[in-house]
Every structure is written in structure tokens, then in C-alpha cells.
Amino acid sequence: MKISSVEFITSSKSINECPKRTQIPEYAFIGRSNVGKSSLINFLTNSKIAKTSSTPGKTQLINHYLINKNWFLVDLPGYGYAKTSKKNRTDFDVFTKKYLLNRVNLLCVFVLIDIRVEPQKNDILFINWLGENEIPFIRIFSKSDKQKKNNIDNIIKKHRDSLMERWAKEPDYIISSSKKKIGKELILERINNMNSLMK
Ligand code: GTP
Ligand code: MG
């Protein structure tokens, strides 16, 4: 799929403020702070539209981008940033989970997982929560430029082992690197296939 236009639409503090165009497909990017969500959105759209930062906690709102005038990409705040106050963490739970549970046109959530580190409890809990709530998702192992091939296989296996306690089938995944430009075609192909389901 070719991306021919990218427009920032709005930043919302809650699902009530999100764009009213709920007849078009929507895909959200989520994951721990600093995992590379905003960078991936820029890579996929070949733009600098999403704000990125080496300081975790950059994205604080639900940001809607309209792609090719007929589907939304959504950049969400990260979870699990250690320095975030307890109140902020509760806000994340209420605000993001409310969006994920209630946004009617949300077709799939892309859950970014940092391939540089061992499986993290908050990633596993979040993935299990998506499963319990029957929210479709695809895992994206990000920053693969920072990890050796053998270690990539090893970390993905560890994730499989942590999930297989609860999952009958291993959830899908794609490996990406915004820096080395890996994974874009696979992600856009999945989005294209899902877009055609809404037509
Ligand atoms: P929050 O909005 O704070 O939750 O972070 P985020 O998940 O949107 O991360 P962001 O895209 O802002 O990137 C965080 C840092 O990781 C930045 O310094 C990026 O340059 C870096 N980064 C993002 N993607 C990659 C990647 O594929 N490879 C490498 N090496 N660094 C990356
Ligand atoms: Mg961000």
C-alpha cells in the first residue's frame, strides 16, 4: 500500500473528544514509553508528523492521523514509565483502556515490544488484558537494529513461553526497526487487508 497523504487531525484527552468519523478503519499503536511508537508512525507514513523524544513519556494524548484520507493511525501514550506518578498510571489505565474498549472503528492494536529487553511483566499483562477483552492485536518487536539475530529469536521465544501459559496459539508478531527501515511493508500489508474488510 502506498501512503499518499498524512494529516494530523486532533489530540484528544478522552474517547469523547476523538474524531466522530467512526465509519473508517482505525489502528492504534501502544506499548511501554520510549519503545518507539511515534517513530514507527513516522517511518510508516514517511513523515515527521508524530513527536518523538529520547525522554520517555513524550506522547500524552490520543493523537489521530488521517492516512490517504480514509483511515486513521493513532499514537497513544506509553505505559510503564517508572518515573510516572501513581496518579498518571491510574489515568493511563482509565483513559487508554476506555478508548481501547469503546472505540467502535478500532480494528487492530499494534503492541510494540522492545526487542532489546527480556519479556516485561507489564507487556505480558497488557497483552493478556487485550486477549481477555477480545481486542484484536499484532505484536511488533521494535528496535531490532539494536539486537543480534540470535538474540532476537531468543527473546521472541521467551515471549512465547510467557504467553503460552494463557494462550492456546501464539499471537502474531512482526519485527521492526524504524532506524534501519525494517517491517514497514508487512505492517502496511496487514493494515491494507483489514481496510478491505471495512469496505
Ligand atoms: P513515548 O511517546 O514517550 O511513549 O515514546 P514512544 O514509544 O513514542 O517512542 P519514540 O518514538 O519517541 O522513540 C523513543 C526513542 O527511541 C527515541 O530516541 C527514538 O529515536 C528511539 N527509537 C525509536 N525507534 C527506534 C528504532 O527502530 N531503533 C533505534 N535504535 N532507536 C529507535
Ligand atoms: Mg510517543
Side-chain angles (χ1 to χ4, degrees):
M1 176 174 36
K2 198 174 165 294
I3 306 277
S4 47
S5 71
V6 188
E7 284 166 75
F8 169 70
I9 302 298
T10 186
S11 291
S12 316
K13 282 198 289 300
S14 73
I15 184 170
N16 307 329
E17 293 178 8
C18 287
K20 302 291 174 240
R21 286 181 68 186
T22 52
Q23 77 286 14
I24 66 171
E26 181 160 317
Y27 307 92
F29 288 73
I30 197 159
R32 285 188 301 120
S33 280
N34 219 37
V35 69
K37 301 174 290 295
S38 304
S39 303
L40 184 60
I41 287 179
N42 289 340
F43 168 43
L44 294 177
T45 57
N46 200 16
S47 75
K48 295 228 158 41
I49 203 150
K51 291 197 184 78
T52 65
S53 167
S54 54
T55 317
K58 181 72 184 169
T59 310
Q60 290 290 345
L61 298 164
I62 304 172
N63 298 293
H64 275 78
Y65 302 98
L66 182 64
I67 315 297
N68 293 353
K69 306 212 181 287
N70 65 4
W71 51 279
F72 286 125
L73 273 186
V74 175
D75 194 9
L76 292 170
Y79 53 82
Y81 172 42
K83 284 194 182 146
T84 306
S85 66
K86 200 169 166 197
K87 176 173 180 312
N88 276 356
R89 242 172 275 161
T90 316
D91 284 353
F92 168 83
D93 265 32
V94 174
F95 147 109
T96 315
K97 289 189 172 172
K98 203 169 162 191
Y99 161 81
L100 294 171
L101 288 170
N102 298 298
R103 184 75 175 162
V104 291
N105 53 326
L106 179 66
L107 292 196
C108 184
V109 179
F110 288 94
V111 184
L112 275 77
I113 301 165
D114 192 332
I115 196 71
R116 297 173 306 174
V117 295
E118 298 284 309
Q120 302 288 302
K121 194 173 166 201
N122 48 13
D123 288 330
I124 302 298
L125 287 174
F126 182 66
I127 287 168
N128 288 340
W129 179 86
L130 289 172
E132 281 155 22
N133 289 285
E134 298 180 359
I135 299 171
F137 70 92
I138 297 172
R139 294 175 297 158
I140 296 195
F141 289 102
S142 68
K143 305 195 184 182
S144 64
D145 57 283
K146 288 281 192 186
Q147 191 58 280
K148 292 193 196 83
K149 173 80 179 77
N150 281 352
N151 291 345
I152 289 180
D153 295 345
N154 190 17
I155 300 268
I156 291 176
K157 183 182 178 307
K158 286 184 179 167
H159 273 272
R160 185 180 306 137
D161 293 344
S162 339
L163 290 175
M164 290 324 272
E165 292 165 19
R166 300 278 293 275
W167 290 77
K169 180 176 170 286
E170 184 188 11
D172 270 2
Y173 68 84
I174 292 172
I175 296 169
S176 82
S177 162
S178 303
K179 195 170 173 190
K180 289 276 166 74
K181 306 200 184 304
I182 297 166
K184 180 175 176 167
E185 285 72 24
L186 286 176
I187 297 168
L188 292 181
E189 185 186 306
R190 296 299 292 265
I191 291 177
N192 199 26
N193 291 342
M194 290 184 272
N195 279 347
S196 56
L197 298 175
M198 282 271 284
K199 295 224 170 80

